[in-house]
């Protein structure tokens, strides 16, 4: 079922490899972020002026643990704007 947009805040970032980063995103307005294994989230990232250039979908890498934090592993793919994963910083908010 399609859920309404939520605001998420990046609370942790780890560099896994030169083109791979691990992000922890907290949904401060939710007590828990409930999902099933294999689900994905769609993020509206502050990376472009046009909405259709900002939206990206990523599989959730963490397991459902009853908290309001999810983990994403993002790999830079050839042809993707480098700034998608290189310019995302702690404290950024996405919806």
């Amino acid at each position: 079922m399609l859920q309404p947009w939520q605001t998420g805040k990046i609370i942790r970032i780890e560099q896994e490899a030169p083109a791979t980063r691990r992000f922890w995103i907290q949904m401060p307005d939710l007590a828990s972020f409930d999902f099933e294994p294999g689900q994905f989230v769609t993020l509206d990232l502050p990376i472009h002026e046009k909405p259709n250039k900002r939206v990206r979908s990523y599989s959730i890498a963490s397991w459902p643990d009853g908290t309001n934090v999810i983990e994403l592993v993002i790999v830079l793919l050839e042809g993707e704007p480098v700034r998608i994963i290189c310019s995302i910083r702690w404290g950024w908010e996405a919806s």
Side-chain angles (χ1 to χ4, degrees), residues 2-84:
L2 189 61
Q3 298 296 317
W5 287 95
Q6 299 290 330
T7 298
K9 184 174 182 178
I10 297 172
I11 59 170
R12 183 173 162 196
I13 302 172
E14 286 185 7
Q15 186 84 34
E16 292 293 319
T20 306
R21 288 192 182 166
R22 191 175 297 265
F23 296 88
W24 283 263
I25 302 173
Q26 180 183 47
M27 271 56 75
D29 295 336
L30 299 176
S32 68
F33 186 80
D34 300 319
F35 62 95
E36 298 289 325
Q39 284 188 300
F40 66 92
V41 292
T42 299
L43 304 179
D44 182 356
L45 299 169
I47 58 172
H48 201 277
E49 294 174 8
K50 295 183 180 181
N52 66 330
K53 302 278 186 180
R54 296 190 315 242
V55 176
R56 298 285 189 274
S57 294
Y58 299 102
S59 295
I60 301 172
S62 53
W63 63 90
D65 61 2
T67 69
N68 66 348
V69 176
I70 60 169
E71 179 184 347
L72 304 177
V73 176
I74 301 176
V75 178
L76 176 64
L77 300 175
E78 193 170 324
E80 283 281 314
V82 173
R83 63 188 173 153
I84 289 175

